[in-house]
mmCIF file of all heavy atoms in Angstrom:
data_model
loop_
_atom_site.group_PDB
_atom_site.id
_atom_site.type_symbol
_atom_site.label_atom_id
_atom_site.label_comp_id
_atom_site.label_asym_id
_atom_site.label_seq_id
_atom_site.Cartn_x
_atom_site.Cartn_y
_atom_site.Cartn_z
ATOM 1 N N PHE A 35 95.564 167.565 100.468
ATOM 2 C CA PHE A 35 94.192 168.017 100.346
ATOM 3 C C PHE A 35 93.758 167.838 98.900
ATOM 4 O O PHE A 35 94.317 168.452 97.990
ATOM 5 C CB PHE A 35 94.045 169.476 100.777
ATOM 6 C CG PHE A 35 94.389 169.710 102.217
ATOM 7 C CD1 PHE A 35 95.589 170.304 102.577
ATOM 8 C CD2 PHE A 35 93.512 169.339 103.217
ATOM 9 C CE1 PHE A 35 95.908 170.525 103.905
ATOM 10 C CE2 PHE A 35 93.822 169.551 104.553
ATOM 11 C CZ PHE A 35 95.018 170.145 104.897
ATOM 12 N N VAL A 37 90.323 166.215 96.203
ATOM 13 C CA VAL A 37 88.983 165.679 96.009
ATOM 14 C C VAL A 37 89.050 164.648 94.899
ATOM 15 O O VAL A 37 89.593 164.925 93.826
ATOM 16 C CB VAL A 37 87.966 166.778 95.640
ATOM 17 C CG1 VAL A 37 86.570 166.192 95.517
ATOM 18 C CG2 VAL A 37 87.993 167.900 96.670
ATOM 19 N N ILE A 73 80.184 156.310 97.383
ATOM 20 C CA ILE A 73 81.568 156.579 97.060
ATOM 21 C C ILE A 73 82.413 156.344 98.304
ATOM 22 O O ILE A 73 81.992 156.653 99.418
ATOM 23 C CB ILE A 73 81.764 158.006 96.513
ATOM 24 C CG1 ILE A 73 83.185 158.187 95.985
ATOM 25 C CG2 ILE A 73 81.431 159.060 97.565
ATOM 26 C CD1 ILE A 73 83.389 159.487 95.203
ATOM 27 N N ASN A 77 92.720 156.353 101.261
ATOM 28 C CA ASN A 77 93.739 157.378 101.089
ATOM 29 C C ASN A 77 95.145 156.791 101.011
ATOM 30 O O ASN A 77 96.004 157.314 100.304
ATOM 31 C CB ASN A 77 93.658 158.396 102.227
ATOM 32 C CG ASN A 77 92.418 159.267 102.145
ATOM 33 O OD1 ASN A 77 91.809 159.405 101.091
ATOM 34 N ND2 ASN A 77 92.039 159.867 103.265
ATOM 35 N N MET A 86 77.684 151.094 92.797
ATOM 36 C CA MET A 86 76.412 151.475 92.213
ATOM 37 C C MET A 86 75.457 150.296 92.270
ATOM 38 O O MET A 86 75.758 149.227 91.738
ATOM 39 C CB MET A 86 76.585 151.955 90.774
ATOM 40 C CG MET A 86 77.482 153.169 90.634
ATOM 41 S SD MET A 86 77.532 153.805 88.937
ATOM 42 C CE MET A 86 78.433 152.471 88.137
ATOM 43 N N GLU A 90 69.929 151.755 86.691
ATOM 44 C CA GLU A 90 68.861 152.057 85.754
ATOM 45 C C GLU A 90 69.456 152.371 84.389
ATOM 46 O O GLU A 90 70.619 152.760 84.296
ATOM 47 C CB GLU A 90 68.047 153.257 86.262
ATOM 48 C CG GLU A 90 67.509 153.086 87.661
ATOM 49 C CD GLU A 90 66.980 154.380 88.244
ATOM 50 O OE1 GLU A 90 67.174 155.448 87.621
ATOM 51 O OE2 GLU A 90 66.355 154.326 89.322
ATOM 52 N N CYS A 99 86.872 159.047 86.140
ATOM 53 C CA CYS A 99 87.464 159.328 87.433
ATOM 54 C C CYS A 99 88.073 160.711 87.410
ATOM 55 O O CYS A 99 88.610 161.159 86.387
ATOM 56 C CB CYS A 99 88.529 158.279 87.761
ATOM 57 S SG CYS A 99 89.286 158.468 89.379
ATOM 58 N N LEU A 101 90.293 163.726 89.815
ATOM 59 C CA LEU A 101 91.040 164.133 90.991
ATOM 60 C C LEU A 101 91.364 165.614 90.887
ATOM 61 O O LEU A 101 91.811 166.083 89.838
ATOM 62 C CB LEU A 101 92.331 163.331 91.149
ATOM 63 C CG LEU A 101 93.170 163.622 92.404
ATOM 64 C CD1 LEU A 101 93.888 162.359 92.875
ATOM 65 C CD2 LEU A 101 94.195 164.730 92.160
ATOM 66 N N ASN A 103 93.624 168.379 92.878
ATOM 67 C CA ASN A 103 94.590 168.746 93.906
ATOM 68 C C ASN A 103 94.293 170.152 94.404
ATOM 69 O O ASN A 103 94.017 171.058 93.614
ATOM 70 C CB ASN A 103 96.011 168.695 93.352
ATOM 71 C CG ASN A 103 96.620 167.314 93.403
ATOM 72 O OD1 ASN A 103 96.302 166.517 94.293
ATOM 73 N ND2 ASN A 103 97.527 167.025 92.475
#
Side-chain angles (χ1 to χ4, degrees):
F35 297 104
V37 183
I73 189 170
N77 290 339
M86 299 186 291
E90 305 167 352
C99 183
L101 183 147
N103 275 329

